[in-house]
Amino acid sequence: MAIRGCEDIGMDWWKQIFEAFKVADIRQVAYVPDAGHAALIDACTADQGIHALAMTTEEEGVSLLAGAWLGGVRGALLMQSSGVGNCINMFSLASTCRFPLPVFVTMRGQWQEFNPWQQAMGESAERHLRTSGFQCQTAASADDVGPMTTATLDTAFTDDGMAALLLHQSLMPVKTFDQ
């Protein structure tokens, strides 16, 4: 499956997340459209066994996945670091009800960030996630993505916990105001 030319620039780490989703029986993926997750979103949307749903805000994904879990379906939430700030209050739903919530965050405000509006959540997303009750890991190289994805899913579904994998901005193509 060719997805938006990521193979051409060596940024196919998303395949490791997709494969881990399949192994972990993830059947619902909530996301807000994001260039960093674009290839993964395309793969999830194209897969007949995964129901990929676009949200208007990230916190809708938290409640969607709560409902999925109550219905016996495993899910995952994809977002950008700025979305973490949108979800802080809604994370209390997962914390209070103790349902599994694996979250995959493409980071901004780090490596070669051109947009100053991304700095605040890029610098504080992990701290906010930990304060909200998440166990966090950061994948800074493509080789880390697969094992850390599996660990994130295991933490969420084995312990009925909240787990986040932060995908360092150096894994993404460099963005400019022209893109």
Side-chain angles (χ1 to χ4, degrees):
M1 171 185 326
I3 305 289
R4 295 187 189 178
C6 287
E7 293 82 6
D8 298 338
I9 55 176
M11 300 200 173
D12 59 355
W13 48 264
W14 63 270
K15 290 179 181 176
Q16 298 172 60
I17 298 175
F18 182 75
E19 290 167 10
F21 281 4
K22 297 300 289 181
V23 169
D25 196 28
I26 298 295
R27 290 186 284 139
Q28 196 157 115
V29 172
Y31 66 92
V32 171
D34 168 38
H37 279 307
L40 177 59
I41 290 168
D42 287 349
C44 291
T45 301
D47 190 282
Q48 295 296 314
I50 295 176
H51 192 172
L53 298 161
M55 307 287 110
T56 55
T57 65
E58 294 81 359
E59 64 265 34
E60 293 172 346
V62 176
S63 56
L64 177 81
L65 296 180
W69 180 250
L70 291 172
V73 173
R74 289 180 168 196
L77 177 59
L78 310 179
M79 69 173 75
Q80 191 178 78
S81 53
S82 58
V84 172
N86 296 337
C87 291
I88 290 174
N89 193 41
M90 188 56 83
F91 286 151
S92 64
L93 174 68
S95 177
T96 301
C97 297
R98 295 201 40 84
F99 73 85
L101 183 60
V103 174
F104 297 84
V105 182
T106 55
M107 296 302 294
R108 297 287 306 265
Q110 296 177 326
W111 181 75
Q112 296 190 351
E113 178 61 62
F114 74 96
N115 185 344
W117 292 99
Q118 296 290 343
Q119 292 297 124
M121 284 310 299
E123 293 173 1
S124 64
E126 182 174 355
R127 187 172 57 248
H128 288 299
L129 286 165
R130 289 188 186 280
T131 300
S132 297
F134 279 85
Q135 293 185 37
C136 298
Q137 301 181 82
T138 298
S141 78
D143 292 340
D144 295 339
V145 174
M148 287 184 169
T149 297
T150 298
T152 298
L153 294 169
D154 285 348
T155 297
F157 293 111
T158 300
D159 299 336
D160 290 340
M162 300 161 60
L165 178 59
L166 310 181
L167 299 156
H168 194 275
Q169 191 169 356
S170 62
L171 295 170
M172 318 299 156
V174 176
K175 296 178 181 176
T176 68
F177 276 116
D178 296 334
Q179 297 175 329

